């Protein structure tokens, strides 16, 4: 603090001092007359520190400021020197402390930078945590995550539950003699249900002990788990099916024999479509491949489905056959070959023309569109007798059960039913449903629809539509060609597997193209249909697992020209290795965070958060990566 003293001789002097316990730390004399001014300075200090508390952050040197030309007191000089020594010692300690803190900060920064460098270049990439081989097993195995950090591996001989966190098998259950089909797995609460075709086994999830086995009578057709029961359908004869429902809570089995109509075919005239020239190549191709142009229509058929609590039979009868032939390869345009070719002429353009001409000569360049009238009966067992809904479609119908509603899609018509078979609404579609969902060989459980909270998302070959439930009001439509799957993540955002194809690719589906159609993954707002981002060529099949998003692609190697020639001649592609890529997708941006590559595609794969398991022909591999 600054102390100003007036001496009795009339002289005034001031100096800076840091009081010690409210008093002068040394004696002070008047530089003019030499009189002791210590008491006067103490009084001033006491007066200054009385009602106010002043905090002096700096530590100034206590220096008496004498007037010019006056000699300094020896005591004052010693006091000043002592204070300077203490000040330098404190400054040295602070400097050393600052260096230590700076060193710690730099070391921490380097450690963080090193960790993140390791994480992005190594830690965030998958590393194998488990592998086992089963070269001697019979039948086709299956693998699936059924609990946190636990996946089940099942083949015809045994079932093994492996814990990837503990890195050990928790139990092994022998299944030899129970069945020979590829296993189907369903985990529910404390039990694991395994269908092996001719038997359904119930295993204890903790111990692996077999709690119950249910024999499947007749020829196995389908195994469909639902929230409360499992539906197993088998064929007893050409005119009867057996529907067996297994209660998941009790294991009780309820069976019923259902009489069905005999399957019938409607033969079409054995002649070429009117717009196909009967060239020698077409006639030879037709002779070698029976029913190439005149594949018969299903005149009567019956299929069974598990629709939650209900057993549903879809019974279809052909009322009026009608087959329309449309071009499946673009009509020939100006020829690049017959024209004047130059260095700038596209080699791929010439190849397109040659290969499509070859294919057109083999197939006629047409495809059949079934626009027949079909009577549809949805027979639903809500009690002892079925409740029926009857309608008609222009085009062969397909049935898709969802959580609270069921769908009947045929041609360009969609009908939505509730679980009591009451019609909720009907909607017109822009295109028919893709054949991968409605054809006889469609993958079990595959559906062109997804039910969300108060919403139905349905896609045909060219448009994804969001309907409000139960009203059926169209919330939005998204034109996109080639949608194969839609999913919702934990935040309710919509992921869409689709392509960059154009509308003409729907009609010209047999066209050979060298300008590649790209796979697209879209993230959309389910409320508005707004596209938040799109990722191109990061896989055609996506998977949402917790907060993680994955996409996979499997592409056959080989020279594009050779592959196109095989397609043009309707021949099987040459044996080439399959290149499998698994991408981790950033859900915020759509950017691929890493690319996991393997030569050869897995036959099964299952995801759980930051872990995935892959089954190849002779081994199973589990992988994990570090994530936050």
């Amino acid at each position: 603090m600054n102390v100003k003293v007036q001496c009795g001789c009339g002289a005034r002097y001031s100096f800076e001092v840091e009081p010690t316990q409210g008093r002068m730390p040394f004696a002070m004399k008047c530089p003019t007359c030499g009189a002791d001014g210590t008491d006067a300075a103490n009084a001033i200090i006491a007066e200054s520190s009385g009602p106010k508390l002043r905090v002096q952050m700096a530590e100034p040197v206590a220096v008496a400021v004498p007037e010019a030309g006056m000699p300094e007191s020896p005591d004052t000089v010693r006091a000043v020197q002592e204070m300077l020594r203490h000040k330098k010692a404190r400054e040295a300690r602070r400097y050393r402390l600052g260096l230590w803190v700076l060193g710690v900060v730099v070391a921490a920064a380097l450690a963080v930078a090193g960790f993140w460098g390791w994480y992005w270049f190594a830690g965030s990439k998958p590393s194998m945590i488990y592998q086992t081989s089963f070269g001697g097993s019979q039948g086709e195995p299956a693998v699936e995550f059924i609990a946190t950090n636990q996946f089940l591996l099942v083949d015809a001989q045994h079932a093994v539950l492996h814990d990837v966190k503990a890195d050990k098998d928790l139990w092994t259950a022998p299944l030899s003699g129970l069945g020979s089909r590829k296993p189907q797995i369903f985990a529910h609460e404390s039990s694991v249900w395994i269908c092996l075709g001719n038997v359904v086994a119930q295993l204890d999830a903790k111990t692996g002990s077999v709690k119950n086995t249910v024999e499947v009578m007749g020829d196995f057709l389908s195994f469909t788990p639902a929230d409360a029961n499992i539906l197993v359908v088998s064929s007893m004869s050409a005119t009867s099916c057996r529907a067996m429902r297994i209660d998941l809570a009790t294991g009780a089995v309820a069976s019923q024999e259902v009489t069905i109509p005999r399957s019938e075919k409607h033969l079409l005239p054995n002649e070429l479509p009117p717009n196909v020239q009967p060239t020698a190549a077409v006639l030879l191709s037709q002779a070698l491949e029976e029913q190439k142009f005149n594949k018969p229509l299903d005149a009567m058929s019956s299929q069974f489905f598990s629709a939650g609590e209900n057993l549903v039979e879809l019974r279809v009868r052909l009322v009026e056959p009608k087959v329309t032939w449309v071009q499946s390869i673009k009509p020939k345009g100006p020829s690049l070959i017959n024209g004047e070719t130059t260095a700038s002429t596209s080699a791929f353009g010439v190849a397109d023309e040659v290969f499509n001409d070859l294919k057109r000569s083999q197939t006629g360049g047409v495809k059949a569109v079934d626009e027949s009238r079909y009577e549809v009966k949805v027979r639903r067992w809500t009690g002892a007798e079925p409740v029926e809904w009857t309608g008609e479609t222009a085009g062969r119908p397909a049935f898709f059960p969802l959580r609270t509603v069921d769908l009947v899609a045929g041609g360009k018509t969609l009908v939505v039913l509730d679980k009591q078979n009451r019609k909720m609404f009907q909607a017109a579609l822009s295109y028919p449903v893709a054949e991968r969902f409605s054809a006889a060989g469609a993958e079990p459980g595959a559906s062109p629809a997804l039910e969300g909270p108060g919403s139905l998302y349905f896609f045909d070959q060219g448009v994804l539509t969001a309907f409000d439930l139960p009203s059926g009001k169209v919330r939005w439509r998204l034109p996109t060609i080639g949608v194969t799957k839609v999913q919702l993540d934990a935040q309710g955002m919509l992921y869409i597997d689709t392509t960059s194809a154009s509308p003409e690719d729907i009609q010209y589906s047999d066209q050979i193209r060298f300008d590649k159609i790209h796979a697209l993954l879209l993230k959309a707002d389910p409320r508005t249909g707004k596209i938040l981002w799109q990722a191109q060529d990061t896989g055609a099949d996506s998977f949402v697992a917790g907060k993680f998003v994955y996409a996979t692609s499997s592409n056959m190697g080989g020279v594009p020209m050779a592959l196109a020639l095989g397609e043009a001649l309707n021949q099987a592609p040459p044996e080439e290795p399959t290149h499998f890529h698994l991408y981790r997708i950033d859900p915020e941006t759509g950017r691929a965070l890493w690319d996991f590559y393997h030569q050869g595609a897995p036959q099964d794969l299952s995801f759980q958060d930051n872990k995935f398991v892959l089954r190849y022909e002779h081994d199973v591999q589990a992988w994990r990566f570090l994530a936050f």
Side-chain angles (χ1 to χ4, degrees):
M1 64 178 294
N2 185 264
V3 178
K4 296 180 180 180
V5 179
Q6 182 170 355
C7 183
C9 69
R12 295 181 180 180
Y13 58 94
S14 64
F15 55 92
E16 294 287 337
V17 68
E18 183 68 27
T20 302
Q21 297 182 351
R23 297 182 65 80
M24 284 289 294
F26 52 81
M28 179 56 66
K29 294 182 179 182
C30 175
T32 300
C33 66
D36 187 5
T38 304
D39 292 339
N42 286 335
I44 292 173
I45 292 172
E47 181 180 352
S48 299
S49 61
K52 297 181 180 179
L53 178 62
R54 299 182 62 188
V55 179
Q56 185 71 30
M57 300 303 296
E59 295 187 3
V61 182
V63 180
V65 183
E67 292 185 1
M70 296 301 297
E72 295 183 1
S73 166
D75 292 339
T76 301
V77 173
R78 284 194 299 273
V80 171
Q81 290 174 343
E82 184 69 16
M83 293 186 67
L84 287 173
R85 187 176 64 81
H86 285 298
K87 180 177 182 296
K88 290 180 180 179
R90 287 194 296 270
E91 288 177 349
R93 287 196 299 270
R94 288 177 181 174
Y95 179 73
R96 290 193 297 271
L97 178 62
L99 287 179
W100 182 84
V101 171
L102 178 61
V104 171
V105 171
V106 170
L110 291 175
V112 171
F115 171 79
W116 280 108
W118 169 84
Y119 173 76
W120 286 112
F121 287 100
S124 64
K125 307 299 189 295
S127 58
M128 188 186 297
I129 55 176
Y130 173 82
Q131 183 177 25
T132 187
S133 300
F134 46 85
S137 65
Q138 299 177 356
E140 185 177 2
V143 63
E144 186 176 324
F145 277 102
I146 64 170
T148 303
N149 294 316
Q150 297 174 4
F151 67 84
L152 187 68
L153 171 62
V154 184
D155 61 17
Q157 303 298 318
H158 57 276
V160 179
L161 183 65
H162 183 81
D163 190 301
V164 296
K165 186 174 183 180
D167 191 22
K168 66 177 182 179
D169 294 339
L170 299 182
W171 50 255
T172 299
L175 299 177
S176 180
L178 292 183
S180 58
R181 296 178 65 95
K182 178 182 177 180
Q184 293 177 259
I185 303 169
F186 177 63
H188 180 264
E189 296 181 351
S190 61
S191 294
V192 178
W193 299 84
I194 301 174
C195 178
L196 296 166
N198 59 343
V199 69
V200 177
Q202 180 186 9
L203 277 60
D204 187 284
K206 291 185 177 180
T207 65
S209 60
V210 178
K211 299 167 64 175
N212 187 22
T213 57
V214 180
E215 185 178 0
V216 179
M217 306 296 293
D219 295 329
F220 172 81
L221 295 177
S222 65
F223 170 84
T224 311
D227 292 338
N229 58 62
I230 296 173
L231 172 67
V232 182
V233 179
S234 57
S235 174
M236 305 302 292
S237 68
T239 57
S240 69
C241 277
R242 180 183 177 91
M244 182 169 61
R245 279 179 285 185
I246 307 172
D247 188 280
L248 292 173
T250 64
V253 180
S255 300
Q256 60 186 126
E257 301 284 338
V258 181
T259 301
I260 59 173
R262 185 181 295 273
S263 178
E264 298 177 8
K265 298 286 184 180
H266 177 81
L267 297 178
L268 297 174
N270 188 21
E271 58 188 27
L272 293 175
N275 48 351
V276 174
Q277 296 296 320
T279 64
V282 168
L283 294 175
L284 177 60
S285 179
Q286 185 183 32
L288 294 176
E289 188 176 342
E290 188 180 0
Q291 300 173 348
K292 186 175 188 67
F293 295 104
N294 303 100
K295 186 177 180 179
L297 302 174
D298 287 330
M300 181 68 74
S301 65
S302 178
Q303 289 180 277
F304 286 86
F305 301 87
S306 175
E309 296 292 329
N310 306 147
L311 168 66
V312 171
E313 178 195 2
L314 178 69
R315 186 171 293 188
V316 179
R317 182 176 67 87
L318 178 63
V319 176
E320 181 182 355
K322 180 183 178 182
V323 175
T324 302
W325 294 91
V326 299
Q327 293 286 335
S328 60
I329 300 176
K330 289 181 182 180
K332 294 187 65 173
S335 174
L336 293 175
I337 300 174
N338 296 332
E340 183 178 350
T341 59
T342 65
S344 63
T345 302
S346 170
F348 284 138
V350 173
D352 273 353
E353 181 178 340
V354 172
F355 291 155
N356 281 301
D357 282 348
L358 283 172
K359 191 167 186 179
R360 190 181 293 107
S361 71
Q362 295 282 323
T363 66
V366 298
K367 65 179 179 182
V369 178
D370 183 5
E371 297 179 341
S372 306
R373 283 176 54 218
Y374 289 94
E375 178 190 65
V376 186
K377 287 188 177 181
V378 177
R379 310 181 76 227
R380 186 185 305 268
W381 275 265
T382 58
E385 296 295 327
V387 177
E388 288 191 355
W389 174 86
T390 304
E392 278 195 1
T393 61
R396 182 158 189 83
F399 182 82
F400 305 103
L402 299 178
R403 184 171 53 85
T404 67
V405 297
D406 296 328
L407 314 178
V408 177
K412 296 183 180 180
T413 301
L414 172 66
V415 177
V416 180
L417 307 174
D418 67 12
K419 294 298 183 179
Q420 302 301 317
N421 254 10
R422 294 185 292 261
K423 180 178 176 180
M424 299 173 63
F425 63 89
Q426 180 173 318
L429 303 175
S430 301
Y431 300 91
V433 172
E435 288 189 7
R436 63 180 298 169
F437 299 108
S438 59
E443 181 183 350
S447 173
L450 172 69
E451 185 179 352
S455 304
L456 169 65
Y457 305 97
F458 186 88
F459 55 90
D460 54 32
Q461 294 181 51
V463 178
L464 170 62
T465 305
F467 298 96
D468 286 334
L469 290 179
S471 68
K473 179 182 177 182
V474 175
R475 189 187 308 159
W476 48 261
R477 296 186 192 274
L478 176 65
T480 178
I481 312 301
V483 178
T484 56
K485 181 167 60 176
V486 291
Q487 302 169 85
L488 290 170
D489 66 10
Q491 288 71 43
M493 292 293 105
L494 194 64
Y495 291 84
I496 307 162
D497 291 344
T498 185
T499 72
S500 62
S502 63
E504 72 172 13
D505 293 314
I506 297 177
Q507 176 178 347
Y508 301 123
S509 56
D510 293 333
Q511 183 83 14
I512 297 175
R513 294 180 45 167
F514 281 94
D515 53 331
K516 184 180 178 183
I517 295 176
H518 299 276
L520 297 179
L521 173 60
L522 310 180
K523 182 178 181 179
D525 187 329
R527 298 166 298 177
T528 62
K530 178 183 177 182
I531 302 301
L532 304 178
W533 52 252
Q534 72 174 33
Q536 180 174 299
D537 290 337
T538 54
D541 196 9
S542 68
F543 301 86
V544 176
K547 65 179 182 179
F548 300 94
V549 180
Y550 303 90
T552 65
S553 68
S554 297
N555 300 311
M556 182 177 292
V559 179
M561 290 286 187
L563 297 175
L565 180 60
E567 182 182 353
L569 297 176
N570 225 15
Q571 296 177 349
E575 290 290 334
E576 294 287 347
T578 300
H579 302 287
F580 173 76
H581 292 267
L582 168 62
Y583 303 91
R584 180 188 170 192
I585 306 297
D586 185 346
E588 298 300 323
T589 64
R591 183 172 62 92
L593 299 177
W594 46 252
D595 175 6
F596 171 88
Y597 169 77
H598 187 274
Q599 183 171 305
Q603 296 168 330
D604 266 339
L605 69 168
S606 182
F607 298 90
Q608 185 185 86
D609 296 328
N610 62 328
K611 301 172 288 293
F612 56 92
V613 59
L614 308 173
R615 180 183 68 80
Y616 297 97
E617 184 176 1
H618 297 298
D619 70 329
V620 169
Q621 301 173 4
W623 298 74
R624 180 174 56 197
F625 58 92
L626 185 62
F628 298 96

